[in-house]
Amino acid sequence: MQFSPDVLNEKCGSRAVLSHVTSRWGALVLIALMDGTLRFSALRRRVGGVSERMLTQSLRLLEDDGLIERIAHQVVPPHVDYRLTPIGTDVARNVLALARCIESNLDTITRFQNARASA
Amino acid sequence: MQFSPDVLNEKCGSRAVLSHVTSRWGALVLIALMDGTLRFSALRRRVGGVSERMLTQSLRLLEDDGLIERIAHQVVPPHVDYRLTPIGTDVARNVLALARCIESNLDTITRFQNARASA
DNA sequence: TCTCATACTTACAAAAATGTGGGTACTTAC
DNA sequence: GTAAGTACCCACATTTTTGTAAGTATGAGA
């Protein structure tokens, strides 16, 4: 492959991965897993507002991209652990940095929005 | 404010900003603007596959969050420039880093997907 | 015994995102 | 004179995403 991937190019495969990583719940799952291995129910409690359905779906997509690993213990009641793969950790670090950046600027952003709304 | 923003918290305002920044076209617009000031039509050509409608909408959202600045020259035919604000630059840097991270791992990810599909 | 927790799946419905095609008012280039 | 470019807006239709509620098999605790 002599051309390097470019997300601004419509046909580039990186677009699909980016969409999984930046999806509403996908991004939050990656951030939550930065704390370490978590089981399904713990993840659900950690990521505020996610439904079981969406959590499952987001986990599958990230798993298919090789960003997270699913470890199912063959016991009943079920016990399934999720953790970041090496690449997933790399990606999640960047997602977390983005989130932290937004969090730390939130105050300014909110003030800007209010000033603009009342103008 | 004694509590620091946390994106994992359902009620946190950072969620909304994150959703704009990580939206399908919002992220790509921020990345494109890292090159410097661009006018609407140039932006549209740069961000592959975006429609005028979605580009306009994404720009408005980012403008309302104070991440980009819109400069309309009062001429006809219209000439409108867009550029990152200081906070926008900060955020865009992180979005770009994330994109670059995915781009550089794309090869591995794609191979993983193929291996998994044929298994 | 009755309830809750576990990690899901499925069907259905509602909501949100996105695309398409049209119109605008004017200018420059051919 | 004709076509194309500029930076949009609007209505409509379609697609995608998301939520809700129910069901599953089993074990632990009250």
Side-chain angles (χ1 to χ4, degrees):
Chain A
M1 206 197 291
Q2 55 272 60
F3 302 109
S4 59
D6 175 16
V7 90
L8 291 180
N9 181 338
E10 192 179 358
K11 314 281 184 185
C12 185
S14 59
R15 282 267 181 105
V17 180
L18 185 69
S19 80
H20 301 157
V21 167
T22 61
S23 70
R24 180 168 182 192
W25 304 115
L28 301 180
V29 164
L30 290 174
I31 290 171
L33 286 177
M34 282 291 284
D35 288 350
T37 302
L38 288 176
R39 57 192 295 188
F40 186 85
S41 54
L43 211 35
R44 176 150 151 66
R45 280 186 293 266
R46 194 80 218 289
V47 179
V50 70
S51 65
E52 295 193 348
R53 187 186 185 282
M54 291 315 296
L55 180 55
T56 304
Q57 198 173 107
S58 305
L59 287 168
R60 292 279 171 279
L61 286 172
L62 296 173
E63 197 194 347
D64 290 344
D65 288 342
L67 302 180
I68 64 177
E69 191 181 357
R70 185 185 119 108
I71 304 132
H73 302 103
Q74 290 305 327
V75 292
V76 66
H79 181 148
V80 181
D81 286 321
Y82 291 92
R83 69 168 150 182
L84 295 168
T85 61
I87 290 184
T89 305
D90 197 9
V91 171
R93 217 191 334 263
N94 283 279
V95 176
L96 183 61
L98 174 61
R100 291 277 177 268
C101 172
I102 290 171
E103 285 167 356
S104 63
N105 284 305
L106 185 60
D107 207 42
T108 311
I109 292 173
T110 306
R111 265 202 294 270
F112 179 87
Q113 289 171 335
N114 291 340
R116 161 171 277 252
S118 62
Chain B
M1 203 199 291
Q2 54 274 59
F3 302 108
S4 60
D6 175 16
V7 91
L8 291 180
N9 182 338
E10 192 179 357
K11 314 280 184 185
C12 184
S14 60
R15 282 267 181 107
V17 180
L18 185 69
S19 80
H20 301 157
V21 167
T22 61
S23 70
R24 180 166 180 194
W25 304 114
L28 301 181
V29 164
L30 290 174
I31 289 171
L33 286 177
M34 282 291 283
D35 288 350
T37 302
L38 286 176
R39 57 192 296 186
F40 186 85
S41 52
L43 211 36
R44 176 151 150 68
R45 281 186 292 264
R46 193 83 218 288
V47 179
V50 71
S51 66
E52 294 194 348
R53 188 185 186 284
M54 291 316 294
L55 181 55
T56 303
Q57 196 174 108
S58 304
L59 287 168
R60 292 280 170 279
L61 250 24
L62 296 173
E63 197 193 346
D64 290 345
D65 288 343
L67 302 180
I68 64 177
E69 192 182 356
R70 186 186 120 108
I71 303 132
H73 301 104
Q74 290 305 326
V75 293
V76 66
H79 182 150
V80 182
D81 286 320
Y82 290 93
R83 69 169 149 181
L84 296 169
T85 62
I87 291 183
T89 304
D90 198 9
V91 170
R93 217 190 335 263
N94 283 279
V95 176
L96 183 61
L98 174 61
R100 292 276 177 268
C101 172
I102 289 171
E103 286 168 354
S104 63
N105 283 305
L106 185 60
D107 205 44
T108 312
I109 292 172
T110 306
R111 265 203 294 273
F112 179 87
Q113 289 171 336
N114 291 339
R116 161 172 276 253
S118 61

